[in-house]
Amino acid sequence: MAELRHSASMGNRASAGSSPVKRDDPSAPFVSAGGADGGGRDRDRDRDKDPHRAPFASSVLHLPPPIRSLLALEDPRVSTSTAYRILVAFLAFLVLAGLLSLPSLWSRLNAPYLCRKDGIVLHCPRVKEPPSLWENPYSATTSWKPCAERREGGISDLPSENETNGYIFIHAEGGLNQQRIAICNAVAVAKIMGATLVLPVLKQDQIWKDQTKFEDIFDVDHFIEYLKNDVRIVRDIPEWFADKAELFTSIRRTVKNIPKYASADFYIDNVLPRIKEKKIMALKPFVDRLGYDNVPPEINRLRCRVNYHALKFLPEIEEMADKLAARMRNRTGNVNPYMALHLRFEKGMVGLSFCDFVGTREEKAMMAAYRQKEWPRRYKNGSHLWQLALQKRKEGRCPLEPGEVAVILRAMGYPKETQIYVASGQVYGGKNRMAPLRNMFPNLVTKEELASKEEIDHFRKHVTSLAALDFLVCLKSDVFVMTHGGNFAKLIIGARRYMGHRLKSIKPDKGLMSKSFGDPYMGWASFVEDVVITHHTRTGLPEETFPNYDIWENPLTPCMCRA
């Protein structure tokens, strides 16, 4: 019927010498309006030369008219219905959409397993930078403000010096941040018992090997003045106490039976009577000897007042930290935001974690020997450690390696040009271990690279002075990223929450990351999606606390109020 309709429409214009179209001629649909007899003979000759053409032409005749029209198999002058035209247009749209989506689909199906490794260098695809890269995206949704500062014009409720319940003395052990927590707790304990606090001693230990005094790091005058309405603090042991050495050595002058996270009632019932009897006592040890949810709210608020307002570093340390922060923002000649990265991957941390990390057989043997020497009771014979390492990694209790940190930051959208300040000790594995992070983010510096030798040497006489510089530069950063727990990271995140929730602090979900890193079927696109969604709210906003929560990391409930 199609051929007949074609012949009828063309009858008036056909020439006298034209030859009629044969019904069984498979080339009929390709005949032009003015096709001559000679042309038909030529096509017959072509068909005879190509035996495959006849079956093909025959098969296309059986296609639906809209498809034939789309493929130019039907004469365009043959009238078709509107429905056919719509169908043809729709099919053309589907074909075009399919062609356009093929590259994206192909790249997703063939996405590399996270990043391609070239020797010690990682190559990760770029990610579009989100608008909240350098700011806290939920900062406008919270209405908390700090409220632990000293009340102006406050009236002191302290008893006179002659009526004090006695003197307490503590050794603040560990590194700078552990010492800082001990000082805050010492002030709180003195307040609970109505005692006078002797300025704490920063004790040297086997790890830090530092003989720094309180006045070498902190502004003593500001410390005593700021807390004068809360606790009476004296610089030294009273003169009437003749044998000062006895205070450090005598068991009769030391309270040793204080449990961890003791309550306020424990101090009142068990420690205060002994202080009243002896007049002066040392509390030893004093690491984590005061709880959080078993003390009055005003005591927790006092601890925040000490931490965020009374404890100030010396002016020279503050000034040097300001210089380092300014240099981080102006390294390229333009003002740029910078990230502070607390990279906890020192040999001691790797050993203490009892986690398994990528390395040579020789490195693993050396680490096993190191663990056996330092922690013989936990190491035992080492047979149980592999299963323990797997379990700890699944639970997110292993430090992130530098290469893992690099992949996470790239997935979040931080570009190669990001300025990163690294606060870290000597990284286990040295330059090879740091290579993936440094190659992916070449604008990565430490304080030693940012300051001159003369500037740094001035602070080298006290290890805690160098730690104080790292603390302040991290505190002032636009974004702070921690890679593992510890007092340093807790205090930084807590202070940034207290100072202003617009500051962004990233606490990676190490459990989810270890699951993603161990998934052999996860491509880059899926990994980026998981990282972005998981960390969308892990940006350091103040959070409602729960019992036994560490106020150093989240000071919301006792130390912050509704705006």
Side-chain angles (χ1 to χ4, degrees), residues 36-248:
D37 207 13
R41 285 193 297 271
D42 291 339
R43 285 191 294 272
D44 289 339
R45 284 194 299 269
D46 294 338
R47 181 186 59 191
D48 294 338
K49 292 178 182 178
D50 188 0
H52 299 289
R53 179 169 181 149
F56 170 76
S58 178
S59 63
V60 297
L61 281 175
H62 298 290
L63 292 172
I67 303 300
R68 286 185 291 165
S69 177
L70 178 65
L71 299 175
L73 303 178
E74 197 76 74
D75 193 300
R77 283 165 293 187
V78 176
S79 60
T80 56
S81 66
T82 304
Y84 279 164
R85 292 180 183 277
I86 294 175
L87 179 59
V88 169
F90 179 68
L91 290 173
F93 173 77
L94 288 180
V95 171
L96 181 62
L99 291 174
L100 292 176
S101 64
L102 274 177
S104 175
L105 180 63
W106 179 259
S107 63
R108 186 173 180 89
L109 291 175
N110 291 274
Y113 167 57
L114 300 189
C115 303
R116 180 173 57 86
K117 190 173 183 181
D118 182 12
I120 58 176
V121 179
L122 287 176
H123 298 280
C124 297
R126 289 185 72 94
V127 177
K128 184 178 180 181
E129 298 179 28
S132 60
L133 198 61
W134 294 102
E135 61 185 27
N136 204 324
Y138 290 104
S139 60
T141 64
T142 184
S143 58
W144 295 92
K145 67 175 183 178
C147 59
E149 63 271 19
R150 180 181 61 183
R151 297 184 303 273
E152 292 297 333
I155 301 175
S156 175
D157 58 351
L158 296 179
S160 64
E161 186 175 354
N162 295 330
E163 297 177 352
T164 183
N165 287 327
Y167 291 78
I168 62 171
F169 178 84
I170 68 136
H171 276 121
E173 302 176 346
L176 172 65
N177 300 290
Q178 190 173 351
Q179 291 171 347
R180 189 183 188 101
I181 292 174
I183 293 167
C184 296
N185 286 339
V187 174
V189 167
K191 179 69 173 179
I192 288 171
M193 297 188 296
T196 298
L197 176 65
V198 179
L199 197 68
V201 169
L202 308 186
K203 184 183 178 184
Q204 175 186 2
D205 61 24
Q206 295 180 352
I207 297 177
W208 295 96
K209 297 181 180 179
D210 188 26
Q211 296 182 348
T212 305
K213 298 178 181 178
F214 191 104
E215 55 269 27
D216 294 329
I217 297 294
F218 300 109
D219 188 332
V220 176
D221 294 333
H222 175 79
F223 179 71
I224 295 175
E225 174 65 22
Y226 197 92
L227 297 171
K228 66 181 181 180
N229 292 332
D230 296 299
V231 175
R232 179 173 287 106
I233 302 172
V234 295
R235 292 174 179 266
D236 204 352
I237 298 170
E239 294 182 358
W240 52 262
F241 189 77
D243 190 3
K244 293 184 179 181
E246 182 188 357
L247 190 59
F248 296 93

Side-chain angles (χ1 to χ4, degrees), residues 306-342:
V306 178
N307 188 28
Y308 302 126
H309 299 283
L311 274 177
K312 287 185 65 177
F313 293 111
L314 291 177
E316 61 181 16
I317 297 177
E318 296 270 0
E319 291 170 7
M320 189 63 210
D322 287 337
K323 288 181 181 178
L324 295 177
R327 290 171 188 175
M328 282 301 302
R329 290 197 172 93
N330 292 279
R331 292 187 69 226
T332 61
N334 300 317
V335 178
N336 298 303
Y338 77 92
M339 173 190 294
L341 174 63
H342 183 221

